[in-house]
Amino acid sequence: MKVHGLVLVGLPLVGVAAAGADASLSSLTVQDVQSLLSENNLLPFFGEQFEEYLVDGATLQVLDESHVNVGDFPKAKPFHWAKFWSVLEDLRTDDDEVASDVPSAGESKSPLSTASKRRSLMAANESYSGIHIKNNVAAVVLGLDGDVGVRRIADGDMLLEGRVLLEDASGGSDHIDVRRALNDLLAATNNASRDERLDLLIDMVSLNTELIMNISTNCGSSSLSSSSSDVPLYTCVDSLNMEADSGLYSTESYGYVRCENDISIGGWTLAMNIDTSDGNVVSYNNAAFWQGETTLGGATDNVHQSLTQDYKNVDVFNSFPVGQILIVVHDEGTVLGWRAFDMLDDDQPLAYYFQGGEDSVNICGSSFDDQTELGLDGYVTMSSGSFDADVGELSDMEPLVYADDCELLSNIDISNTEDYNRLTCVSHPEQDASGNYGYGLGTLYDARHDPDGGTISVGLCPSDTIRPLCDGQLHTTTTNWGSASGTGGMIGSDNTCNGDCPWTVESGLAYDYAIYVREASEELYDSCDDAMANDAPSGAYLLSSGQRVYCNNDISLGGWTLALNIDTSDGNVVDYSNYQFWESTTELGGARDYTVRPFHHDYKNLDVFSSFAANEILVVVHEEGEVLGYRAWTLYTPGQPLGDYFIGENECGTDDSVGELGSGNFNYVTSAVIDADVGDLIAEEPIVYNDDYQLYANIETGESHDYNRLTAKDHPELGSAGNYGWGLGTLYDATSETSSADCPSVSARPLCDAQFHVTGGNWGSNGGLGGMIGTDNVCNDDCPWTVSSDYEYDYAIYVRKATPVYYASCVAVAEAGESSGQYLLSSGDHVYCYIDDKGEGWTLALNIDTSDGNVVHYSNVAFWETSDELGGAKAHHATPFRQDYKNLYAFGEFEATEMMIIVHEEGVGFQNESLGWRSWNLTASQALVDYFSGANACGDGVTALDSDDYATMTSGITGGAVYDLVSLEPMVYNEYEVFANIENGNSYDFNRMSAKATAAAADSNKGWGLGTLYDATHTDSDYVCGPDGAETARPQCDAQMHTIGGNWGTSSGTGGMIGTDNVCVSDCEWTTESGYYYDYAIFVR
């Protein structure tokens, strides 16, 4: 039992004497500050630096955010900083309190121990006196039976328990029953729609302000952001829709619940909490907790204690249809990390999964007289993919949240040795895990072992074992659940193992687990094309048809649906003979069908492969998800599923029959190339590299029975010498074992996932580059002809229904009445077309995001001066305004006569929705790159700049508006012409682009524009730029304001730097942030 001290504020209470004043903040020593950080779990993130800088209490007294360089604290995340500033605010508030702390009997209390663990409520009530209970779970209960009381239930919120009556304002004897008054208001709405109910709740806010005089238990705040309410909601999603904070709410079907609206997409309802050190054990044996529809298994159902001990809301557990689940790892309510998952089923409650699903798999009996048998092969799959996560500083052994490629499973033996968990997360349920490494929540390990060390024939539950029976267990790196060495396995201290528990070793980590649920997301797309049209990013989606697919919206025009992935080194071989993978519409051939992280193993989507009516195909060469190159084609037979291309000609046969392959047989797959980017792929790459090749399936390459499931050739005839086969899914020298080319077949020749088109004979074994891509192969007889290339290319194969329309230019896009977006030009180039307010089309050449971490300062030659390099920018046409963007065609080839600059923040809508814009005529019909690669170009080395050199870009303004821009904005605000590679400070302040009244306009040490290099002479005796020069302590930024204060805004007034991107050196004393985050989109036409 915890006994908390009281702080007595102001007037002394009768019979209570002050025990001593709290120490002041300014009196703390450096070591006191270290202790403070440790007590608040902040020492790992700030301790080393604070000790180095001798931070004491006096320093904390004056410290504010402007004094801190967050880069000096690399381990501190934003939520660590938020907690630190909150603790510091509490300490400063305590300094102002006249308070004394009464420790519990026998307790020596530090003056820091309570000040940092509460939010002060004293600031608005300093003129009052009374009792201050210094604990976040505090209450005053009245009456012999405790029938009424006041409880603190969340930051800033209290709960009044009992009937609340208000006295008549006139002093009469009548009282108002608040709850009855609210219920009367709701009585007429029992049959109202959901939207009508929400409207009523909003309308009631102003009424309640008068009626209940701001009593927070009855929605008496001026908005619905109070974290508790007696006005019933349907679910926590309703609280989110009303922009309410996380906290406690009353719901119609699930009672009083805790809602979490700050993590991921919000709208989460707490169903269960597992406190791993509260003394109540929720091991696998605890059927009352994990399976019981009305029982708690020792947990509480008091929502006020739902994050500080084991908790279960039986209504949510039994009847809430779970579409998404959130697992939060925390420490008594302090979030440490979390992961959100989509559920495989979106209409089952949690009870369904822990009660073993439809077949009651691996459920536990209610007592030792009612034991049930457990099975190694049983489990229930809960999730179908993780869609959001933040693992914070969690240990990599954490079992549910840390890993990003796993699915939630219930009631499963995790290591094939009767190590059962109620809830765990694994990459695939059939994994061949070694025994005695079980991990997850609700454990029962070595279920066949009895307390005396003997072994029984089957796993039983409940079971009395000397192995771990715990709330939670880490995924340890050493055997016997961490007891062999290293970190112990048990999370927290709750366990019921016996026999001195030799295999149950504490990890020292006290992670707690909050399990939240949510209805299925209402955002269901019809297809990947639909997801693309709604600006959805690449990722896994549940379609309205119920299919789960992976969509790629970043490559080519987006809207691609993943059908197959071939991981050439995952241990599963998809050679030609693997007919289950290449031909079957019902079998996977050893691949997986999990859409979460599909690029880390062989993957096959049976629905897409067998029934998707495809018009186009995209093959992406990658390495574990990192794109290396791609090519897209139109398919030879529009509307035909991908699987149909691998049957008919040269089918393989089955385990019971043999198919005979023929040299003249094959299937056409594609008819025309529509898009490609080969990146840095080597010339021997067999599918994507060559420009004019088409795809063919089940075809012989070479003249020696070298068959491939998929290859690229300039024509289908053989036309090349034997023993040079190339492509995916190989079977080479198919006649080497028999007189005919049979499939399935065994061979000493390459039977691989993929093979290069090598120049050395015998598939690269004669010399030069080896042929085999990756390591997956099943050749035999020591594989003398199968030689590794040491390349690990993987292959993702997508399909798409829509056939793109080609336009001559963005002007033609506008004339066709299309809206802004990405388009494919008849030249084969992809561009982003912007349709302005007049209906005219512009082509996006550059976007400068001033705070994306990539710096496009003057010396970024690749960005400003080349037509074939990006300079750290991206070329993703689907999301061009969220980072530095460069379209190589629009910047390096497009001969433009007009230019427009739109100032925005992370997105361009219509011009009148931007921050400001301006358009000009250009001085010549030429590519933008030509303005930056001539006068004062940097080049590849150290280049001297000339104050008299520059390029005039524009010759007349054609339109513009400044809207909300500040007058210091350097490009659009003033009706000036634009110059390139120009000095504009009379002090060697060079900009890639600057708007000026005249070319000679100068303002010393107040340079302004895009792509800066200021005081270039401070790098050397000459003012220089280029990759090997330009190290200066002056601003080298993406963009700079035309400041009023000298030295680029460091002397006074607004700072000069727009955004945060810069590469200045020597503490950057002349580079000061303006606080503005303008981004710049540059269009041409």
Side-chain angles (χ1 to χ4, degrees):
M1 177 178 179
K2 298 179 181 177
V3 180
H4 298 281
L6 302 177
V7 175
L8 310 181
V9 183
L11 296 177
L13 299 180
V14 177
V16 181
D22 283 354
S24 67
L25 175 61
S26 58
S27 68
L28 301 183
T29 66
V30 172
Q31 287 308 309
D32 286 336
V33 172
Q34 293 290 303
S35 297
L36 172 66
L37 294 174
S38 178
E39 291 178 19
N40 288 278
N41 297 320
L42 294 172
L43 189 64
F45 316 107
F46 303 97
E48 181 179 347
Q49 293 82 357
F50 274 30
E51 189 171 35
E52 178 183 352
Y53 302 143
L54 301 179
V55 176
D56 57 12
T59 305
L60 293 181
Q61 190 72 57
V62 299
L63 187 67
D64 62 43
E65 295 184 40
S66 66
H67 300 141
V68 176
N69 181 3
V70 296
D72 292 339
F73 301 84
K75 295 182 179 179
K77 303 293 184 183
F79 53 84
H80 295 132
W81 281 109
K83 182 176 181 180
F84 171 78
W85 293 118
S86 175
V87 169
L88 187 56
E89 179 184 0
D90 284 341
L91 286 169
R92 289 169 174 166
T93 301
D94 288 347
D95 241 13
D96 297 331
E97 292 179 359
V98 180
S100 59
D101 195 2
V102 182
S104 58
E107 179 184 1
S108 175
K109 180 177 280 291
S110 162
L112 307 177
S113 61
T114 58
S116 61
K117 294 181 180 178
R118 69 178 189 281
R119 174 184 172 189
S120 173
L121 298 176
M122 301 304 299
N125 299 298
E126 289 180 347
S127 61
Y128 292 88
S129 300
I131 297 175
H132 183 177
I133 303 176
K134 299 178 71 174
N135 179 258
N136 282 342
V137 186
V140 176
V141 180
L142 306 176
L144 291 176
D145 298 323
D147 54 333
V148 296
V150 179
R151 298 182 188 272
R152 183 189 189 278
I153 57 172
D155 288 354
D157 296 316
M158 70 175 183
L159 173 69
L160 299 183
E161 295 185 325
R163 195 156 59 105
V164 180
L165 303 177
L166 298 183
E167 190 173 284
D168 191 312
S170 64
S173 60
D174 293 337
H175 296 82
I176 300 173
D177 185 326
V178 174
R179 185 183 297 273
R180 180 174 297 173
L182 291 179
N183 287 338
D184 288 345
L185 286 172
L186 289 171
T189 68
N190 286 335
N191 297 318
S193 69
R194 179 183 179 126
D195 290 341
E196 290 170 340
R197 292 291 299 275
L198 293 178
D199 289 342
L200 174 66
L201 292 177
I202 295 170
D203 291 341
M204 288 176 62
V205 174
S206 58
L207 173 62
N208 290 346
T209 302
E210 177 180 354
L211 173 65
I212 61 176
M213 301 170 60
N214 293 322
I215 296 176
S216 66
T217 50
N218 292 286
C219 293
S221 59
S222 60
S223 71
L224 287 179
S225 62
S226 172
S227 62
S228 63
S229 169
D230 275 349
V231 179
L233 309 174
Y234 280 83
T235 70
C236 286
V237 173
D238 288 342
S239 72
L240 182 69
N241 293 338
M242 293 184 291
E243 300 182 357
D245 296 335
S246 299
L248 306 181
Y249 294 88
S250 177
T251 62
E252 283 195 337
S253 301
Y254 310 112
Y256 213 40
V257 300
R258 180 175 295 278
C259 297
E260 174 54 62
N261 292 336
D262 298 309
I263 293 179
S264 187
I265 56 178
W268 301 99
T269 301
L270 182 64
M272 308 173 81
N273 184 67
I274 298 171
D275 187 314
T276 60
S277 300
D278 70 339
N280 183 61
V281 184
V282 291
S283 69
Y284 202 105
N285 282 348
N286 193 334
F289 180 78
W290 290 107
Q291 297 169 198
E293 296 183 356
T294 60
T295 54
L296 299 176
T300 183
D301 59 358
N302 185 340
V303 71
H304 309 300
Q305 300 168 344
S306 57
L307 295 178
T308 56
Q309 62 190 73
D310 294 339
Y311 166 81
K312 179 179 176 182
N313 184 315
V314 294
D315 293 320
V316 175
F317 181 79
N318 290 322
S319 58
F320 191 107
V322 183
Q324 294 166 319
I325 190 169
L326 171 71
I327 309 294
V328 179
V329 186
H330 65 99
D331 182 1
E332 299 295 308
T334 300
V335 176
L336 305 176
W338 53 269
R339 185 171 296 278
F341 301 81
D342 285 322
M343 298 296 278
L344 192 63
D345 242 330
D346 63 6
D347 60 356
Q348 297 291 353
L350 281 184
Y352 169 84
Y353 298 99
F354 298 119
Q355 291 170 358
E358 294 180 3
D359 298 323
S360 300
V361 174
N362 286 340
I363 60 172
C364 193
S366 59
S367 69
F368 281 89
D369 295 327
D370 183 32
Q371 288 178 305
T372 58
E373 293 185 9
L374 305 179
L376 296 177
D377 297 328
Y379 59 86
V380 183
T381 302
M382 297 178 66
S383 68
S384 61
S386 167
F387 65 86
D388 200 4
D390 184 347
V391 301
E393 300 293 329
L394 291 175
S395 165
D396 60 3
M397 292 183 285
E398 191 284 322
L400 294 180
V401 166
Y402 186 85
D404 62 356
D405 60 347
C406 65
E407 300 292 359
L408 295 178
L409 305 174
S410 65
N411 295 12
I412 184 172
D413 166 40
I414 194 59
S415 59
N416 299 327
T417 56
E418 308 281 359
D419 285 0
Y420 291 93
N421 291 270
R422 286 296 187 170
L423 182 63
T424 194
C425 199
V426 298
S427 57
H428 58 100
E430 296 82 11
Q431 66 178 7
D432 184 19
S434 300
N436 296 354
Y437 285 87
Y439 53 95
L441 302 183
T443 79
L444 168 56
Y445 293 162
D446 271 15
R448 291 187 182 183
H449 286 262
D450 64 28
D452 298 324
T455 301
I456 52 183
S457 59
V458 295
L460 298 176
C461 187
S463 181
D464 203 3
T465 172
I466 55 177
R467 272 66 172 184
L469 280 162
C470 310
D471 281 8
Q473 187 84 2
L474 294 178
H475 192 174
T476 59
T477 56
T478 57
T479 190
N480 291 334
W481 315 286
S483 65
S485 62
T487 302
M490 184 172 64
I491 302 172
S493 58
D494 289 345
N495 75 88
T496 55
C497 66
N498 47 51
D500 295 329
C501 305
W503 287 277
T504 305
V505 181
E506 293 190 19
S507 65
L509 298 173
Y511 294 160
D512 301 322
Y513 287 82
I515 303 174
Y516 292 86
V517 292
R518 198 180 193 277
E519 303 97 322
S521 174
E522 296 178 1
E523 190 73 29
L524 294 179
Y525 300 112
D526 294 332
S527 65
C528 288
D529 282 323
D530 186 30
M532 180 66 199
N534 285 279
D535 295 324
S538 296
Y541 290 96
L542 181 65
L543 301 184
S544 56
S545 63
Q547 292 177 305
R548 179 159 289 280
V549 298
Y550 188 94
C551 301
N552 190 314
N553 292 334
D554 294 317
I555 292 179
S556 190
L557 291 179
W560 296 98
T561 304
L562 183 64
L564 300 173
N565 184 69
I566 299 172
D567 186 315
T568 59
S569 298
D570 70 338
N572 184 61
V573 185
V574 291
D575 62 311
Y576 199 107
S577 294
N578 189 337
Y579 64 88
Q580 297 96 330
F581 181 81
W582 290 107
E583 298 176 12
S584 176
T585 59
T586 60
E587 297 177 274
L588 297 174
R592 303 182 193 172
D593 57 357
Y594 306 130
T595 52
V596 59
R597 296 190 71 197
F599 308 113
H600 297 268
H601 43 72
D602 293 338
Y603 167 86
K604 181 178 180 181
N605 187 308
L606 291 172
D607 290 328
V608 176
F609 182 79
S610 63
S611 60
F612 187 98
N615 294 329
E616 298 170 349
I617 187 173
L618 168 72
V619 179
V620 178
V621 186
H622 64 97
E623 284 189 14
E624 300 296 307
E626 180 180 350
V627 175
L628 305 177
Y630 68 86
R631 188 171 298 277
W633 297 261
T634 55
L635 284 164
Y636 190 81
T637 307
Q640 177 173 289
L642 183 63
D644 288 358
Y645 291 93
F646 300 106
I647 59 176
E649 300 293 344
N650 283 339
E651 282 189 53
C652 188
T654 67
D655 291 338
D656 300 323
S657 62
V658 175
E660 186 172 338
L661 308 181
S663 295
N665 301 327
F666 59 87
N667 291 322
Y668 291 95
V669 178
T670 64
S671 58
V673 174
I674 56 176
D675 191 20
D677 183 348
V678 300
D680 294 323
L681 294 174
I682 64 173
E684 291 86 352
E685 192 282 321
I687 303 293
V688 164
Y689 185 84
N690 290 289
D691 285 337
D692 299 322
Y693 285 14
Q694 299 300 323
L695 295 181
Y696 303 89
N698 296 5
I699 191 169
E700 182 184 11
T701 51
E703 297 177 344
S704 56
H705 302 289
D706 289 356
Y707 290 91
N708 292 269
R709 285 296 187 168
L710 188 66
T711 195
K713 303 179 66 177
D714 55 352
H715 56 85
E717 292 74 20
L718 296 180
S720 63
N723 295 353
Y724 287 86
W726 66 94
L728 305 182
T730 79
L731 170 56
Y732 294 163
D733 269 16
T735 58
S736 62
E737 299 293 326
T738 63
S739 58
S740 61
D742 294 335
C743 182
S745 180
V746 293
S747 170
R749 277 63 174 182
L751 286 160
C752 311
D753 280 8
Q755 186 85 3
F756 278 127
H757 192 175
V758 295
T759 56
N762 291 328
W763 315 284
S765 64
N766 287 1
L769 179 70
M772 184 172 63
I773 303 173
T775 58
D776 289 345
N777 76 88
V778 288
C779 63
N780 49 47
D781 295 337
D782 296 326
C783 306
W785 289 277
T786 303
V787 181
S788 174
S789 65
D790 293 326
Y791 282 85
E792 300 282 339
Y793 292 167
D794 302 320
Y795 288 82
I797 302 175
Y798 297 86
V799 289
R800 187 171 63 182
K801 289 183 180 179
T803 299
V805 178
Y806 298 89
Y807 293 92
S809 66
C810 286
V811 172
V813 170
E815 291 173 347
E818 301 287 357
S819 57
S820 298
Q822 56 174 330
Y823 291 93
L824 185 60
L825 302 185
S826 52
S827 62
D829 296 295
H830 289 277
V831 295
Y832 185 93
C833 294
Y834 177 74
I835 312 304
D836 67 16
D837 297 348
K838 297 179 181 179
E840 296 179 338
W842 296 81
T843 304
L844 180 63
L846 300 174
N847 184 70
I848 298 175
D849 186 315
T850 60
S851 300
D852 69 337
N854 183 60
V855 186
V856 292
H857 58 304
Y858 199 104
S859 293
N860 190 335
V861 174
F863 183 81
W864 289 106
E865 296 180 15
T866 72
S867 58
D868 58 359
E869 297 179 83
L870 296 174
K874 305 295 184 183
H876 297 161
H877 316 295
T879 56
F881 305 114
R882 302 175 191 173
Q883 67 272 315
D884 293 339
Y885 167 86
K886 181 177 179 181
N887 186 297
L888 297 177
Y889 163 76
F891 181 78
E893 299 180 39
F894 186 88
E895 294 185 354
T897 59
E898 298 176 69
M899 178 177 71
M900 176 172 66
I901 297 178
I902 295 181
V903 186
H904 65 96
E905 285 189 12
E906 298 297 311
V908 171
F910 294 104
Q911 286 164 305
N912 59 13
E913 295 174 348
S914 68
L915 302 176
W917 66 278
R918 195 165 299 284
S919 59
W920 299 262
N921 288 318
L922 290 168
T923 56
S925 176
Q926 63 183 30
L928 279 187
V929 67
D930 295 338
Y931 293 100
F932 303 106
S933 57
N936 278 339
C938 286
D940 296 330
V942 178
T943 305
L945 304 179
D946 189 332
S947 296
D948 296 324
D949 276 351
Y950 58 88
T952 303
M953 296 187 69
T954 64
S955 61
I957 295 170
T958 58
V962 297
Y963 302 128
D964 297 323
L965 293 175
V966 297
S967 60
L968 307 181
E969 192 282 323
M971 299 302 302
V972 166
Y973 187 87
N974 294 294
E975 296 183 0
Y976 292 165
E977 300 294 346
V978 180
F979 302 87
N981 294 6
I982 191 168
E983 181 191 17
N984 61 356
N986 206 24
S987 56
Y988 310 113
D989 289 359
F990 290 91
N991 291 271
R992 285 295 186 172
M993 295 181 73
S994 187
K996 305 177 64 175
T998 66
D1003 203 349
S1004 182
N1005 287 353
K1006 296 181 184 179
W1008 65 95
L1010 306 181
T1012 80
L1013 170 58
Y1014 292 165
D1015 270 16
T1017 55
H1018 283 267
T1019 63
D1020 200 272
S1021 58
D1022 297 321
Y1023 31 105
V1024 298
C1025 75
D1028 301 323
E1031 287 195 5
T1032 172
R1034 276 63 176 180
Q1036 293 192 86
C1037 312
D1038 281 7
Q1040 187 84 2
M1041 295 281 195
H1042 190 173
T1043 59
I1044 298 173
N1047 292 331
W1048 314 284
T1050 61
S1051 298
S1052 61
T1054 302
M1057 184 170 63
I1058 302 173
T1060 58
D1061 290 344
N1062 75 88
V1063 289
C1064 65
V1065 296
S1066 302
D1067 296 328
C1068 305
E1069 55 187 303
W1070 286 279
T1071 304
T1072 305
E1073 292 187 22
S1074 65
Y1076 290 89
Y1077 297 90
Y1078 295 161
D1079 301 321
Y1080 289 82
I1082 303 173
F1083 300 87
V1084 290
R1085 57 177 274 129

